[in-house]
Amino acid sequence: MKEFPKGFVWGSATSAYQIEGAWNEDGKGPSIWDAFCQIPSKVHLNETGNIACDHYHRFAEDVALMKRMGLKAYRFSIAWTRILPTGKGEINKKGIEFYNDLIDLLLYHDIEPWVTLYHWDLPLALQLEMDGWLNADIADYFAEYADICFQYFGDRVKNWITINEAWVVAILGYGQGVFAPGRTSNVEPYLAGHHLLLAHAKAVDVYRQKYQAQQNGRIGITNNCDWREPLTQNTDDINAAERALEFFLSWFSDPIYKGDYPASMRERLQDRLPTFTPEQQKIIKGSSDFFGLNHYTTMYAAQTKEGQKEVSVYGNGGLSEDQDVDLSVGKDWKLTDMEWAIAPWGCQKLLEWIDRRYDHPEIVITENGCAFPDVLDGREVNDTERIQFVEGYLDACHQAIQNGVNLTGYFLWSFLDNFEWASGYNKQFGLHYIQPDTLRRIPKASADWYAKVIKQNGLL
Ligand code: GAL
C-alpha cells in the first residue's frame, strides 16, 4: 500500500470550451475557438464545442457523478465570454449565475473547486479588435476580467489558476497554427508568450493587492511539459535535452521563479524574445503560490545533425528549428491514442528536475491522463489500459515524493470524454464515456474504477 502525504489533493479536470456547450446561450459571446471550429478542416470532422458535453445544462448531473466516484477536488475553467461577452465592459449576469451555481453545488458535496481563468477561449472580439495575445494591452483586459472573477467567486474559490499552458497558446496557436487563432510565425509565439506571462502577473497582482488577505486563497499558473530524455550520453544530446526542457517549461517558469527567460533562449532567439522591464520583473518574479504542472508524455532528445534543420521545422517540440533538437520515441514504447508515449519514469524525472531547478517549490499536477478508444461492452468499458496508465504515473509521483519532491496534488484529465480541440470527439480521455450525438453519458468500465484505483492505493 502506497501512502501519499496527508492532505494530498485528488481531483479531476476539465475546461469550459471542451465540455460546456451552450456556446451562444444566455448572453455568452463568441470565443476564438467558436470561430476556429467554423473554418473547414481545422478540426477533425469539422466538429465543434457548440454542444460538447452539454455541461452548461447538465452540471448538476455531472456533479452528482463526481460525488458518486468520490472526487475530492474538481478543476474547471471559466469561459471569459460568459462573464464578459466581448472580453471587456459590461458583465453578463447569467454567466456569473452559472458559475455561482456550479461552485455552490460542488461545495455542497464537499468537492473543492480549482478554477482556471483562461483555458484558451479568448473573446473573439479581442482577437478581431486588437490581435489577441499579440497586443500588450491584453494583459490589462485579462487582469480586469480576473478581478471580476475574484470579486464574485473568491469568497468560495480558494485555488486559482490564471492561465492554462501558455506554451500551447503560443506555439500551437501562433507558431504551428493548429489551434486557435491559427497563425504561423516564428516571431509571434514569443510575443504572445510574453503577454501571457504579463497577463498572469497582472492578475496575480490584483489578487494579492485586493483579495488575497481577506479571501485567503492561493493563485498560480499551470504550465505543461513533457520529459526530454537524452538519446545518448553524448554531451551534445545531454545539452539538447536540457535545452528542450528550457524552451518548453523554463520559458514560462524561469521568469516566475528567477525573474527572466533562460539564457539558452536569449542566446538563440535574440531580439525575437522580448525583454521585461524592471517593473514587470517585480510583479512576475514570485507570482505563483504553487507550481502547476500538466504532464502527459516523454520523448528522446538529440542534437539536430547538420543539414537536417528543415526537417524538424514545426515539429512536435515547439519551434524546433530554434532549439536544434530532434525528438523521437523509443521503438518499444507503448503509445496512447494520441500517439503519446507512456513513460511514467519521465514523470518522476521531470518532477525531480523541477524540484532542483526551482528550489523545491510546491508542485501540483493539474493534468495527467491518457486517451484510449473505448470499446463498449454492454454499458461498460473494459478500461485496463487506463487503469495501468494511472497506476504507473501515480507510482512515479509517489517515488518522486519519497525522493523529497513537494508534490501536493494530482488531477486526472479528464472527468468527461470531451471536445479534444483539433482532434474533435475522436480522443477519449475521460473517466466517463460520452456519445456526443445523443449526449448520453455512460459510466466507464469498472464503473468506479477511479475510486477503486484510489482506494486500492490507500489514497482516500
Ligand atoms: C492539455 C489541455 C487539455 C487537454 C489535454 C489532453 O494540453 O490542457 O485541455 O486537451 O491536454 O490533450
Side-chain angles (χ1 to χ4, degrees), residues 227 349 351-361:
W227 175 247
K349 287 192 176 192
L351 289 169
E352 292 175 4
W353 186 86
I354 293 170
D355 185 71
R356 283 193 304 274
R357 186 174 181 107
Y358 299 112
D359 206 12
H360 196 51

Side-chain angles (χ1 to χ4, degrees), residues 10-72:
W10 295 101
S12 184
T14 63
S15 87
Y17 189 69
Q18 295 179 276
I19 67 160
E20 282 182 3
W23 74 282
N24 61 355
E25 286 180 45
D26 288 345
K28 178 184 168 290
S31 77
I32 54 172
W33 270 94
D34 288 315
F36 191 70
C37 293
Q38 299 304 319
I39 305 172
S41 305
K42 292 291 182 192
V43 174
H44 179 73
L45 301 178
N46 295 324
E47 284 164 332
T48 73
N50 289 1
I51 299 175
C53 305
D54 202 25
H55 175 75
Y56 185 76
H57 296 117
R58 302 177 69 162
F59 72 94
E61 193 184 314
D62 292 338
V63 176
L65 286 172
M66 292 176 204
K67 180 69 186 167
R68 203 185 108 202
M69 69 170 65
L71 212 63
K72 294 289 180 206

Side-chain angles (χ1 to χ4, degrees), residues 193-383:
H194 196 66
H195 297 149
L196 283 154
L197 274 166
L198 291 173
H200 152 79
K202 286 196 175 185
V204 171
D205 196 46
V206 168
Y207 188 63
R208 290 191 175 157
Q209 304 281 345
K210 284 175 71 175
Y211 300 99
Q212 197 162 31
Q214 91 259 16
Q215 291 185 350
N216 239 330
R218 306 189 307 159
I219 189 161
I221 189 170
T222 274
N223 284 306
N224 58 310
C225 195
D226 304 343
W227 175 247
R228 297 294 181 236
E229 180 72 9
L231 181 64
T232 72
Q233 283 312 300
N234 295 341
T235 315
D236 277 356
D237 289 347
I238 291 175
N239 291 343
E242 188 75 3
R243 196 162 64 243
L245 291 168
E246 290 178 345
F247 269 76
F248 206 149
L249 184 59
S250 309
W251 176 6
F252 299 103
S253 303
D254 272 19
I256 292 172
Y257 286 86
K258 298 170 186 283
D260 208 350
Y261 292 120
S264 59
M265 291 187 79
R266 175 65 60 205
E267 194 184 300
R268 281 162 184 268
L269 300 171
Q270 303 200 359
D271 290 351
R272 282 191 288 143
L273 190 66
T275 46
F276 297 110
T277 66
E279 296 77 53
Q280 290 171 341
Q281 266 168 330
K282 237 172 59 205
I283 57 165
I284 286 179
K285 199 168 174 208
S287 61
S288 212
D289 294 333
F290 52 88
F291 195 110
L293 175 70
N294 291 352
H295 172 75
Y296 285 93
T297 190
T298 284
M299 291 183 97
Y300 282 129
Q303 169 73 41
T304 302
K305 306 278 176 301
E306 269 318 301
Q308 277 185 4
K309 261 198 166 181
E310 319 80 79
V311 180
S312 57
V313 168
Y314 302 140
N316 52 2
L319 293 182
S320 26
E321 76 277 25
D322 287 337
Q323 304 172 35
D324 287 321
V325 176
D326 274 354
L327 299 173
S328 58
V329 292
K331 281 198 195 69
D332 53 346
W333 293 3
K334 276 189 71 181
L335 306 181
T336 69
D337 202 26
M338 295 293 278
E339 298 187 8
W340 296 346
I342 304 171
W345 53 270
C347 179
Q348 184 185 338
K349 287 192 176 192
L350 178 63
L351 289 169
E352 292 175 4
W353 186 86
I354 293 170
D355 185 71
R356 283 193 304 274
R357 186 174 181 107
Y358 299 112
D359 206 12
H360 196 51
E362 176 185 344
I363 306 174
V364 179
I365 293 188
T366 43
E367 282 180 34
N368 171 245
C370 54
F372 284 114
D374 289 334
V375 181
L376 276 181
D377 175 7
R379 281 177 60 86
E380 299 208 325
V381 178
N382 198 0
D383 216 0

Side-chain angles (χ1 to χ4, degrees), residues 370 372 374 383-390 428 444 449:
C370 54
F372 284 114
D374 289 334
D383 216 0
T384 44
E385 282 165 311
R386 201 179 310 273
I387 292 173
Q388 260 172 28
F389 178 98
V390 175
Q428 294 156 5
K444 256 190 182 148
W449 72 269

Side-chain angles (χ1 to χ4, degrees), residues 15 18 75 119-120 164-165 168 224 294 296 338 340 367 413 418-421 429:
S15 87
Q18 295 179 276
R75 174 180 173 232
H119 202 123
W120 311 350
N164 180 71
E165 302 188 349
V168 170
N224 58 310
N294 291 352
Y296 285 93
M338 295 293 278
W340 296 346
E367 282 180 34
W413 185 270
N418 58 46
F419 176 78
E420 177 51 31
W421 309 111
F429 272 94

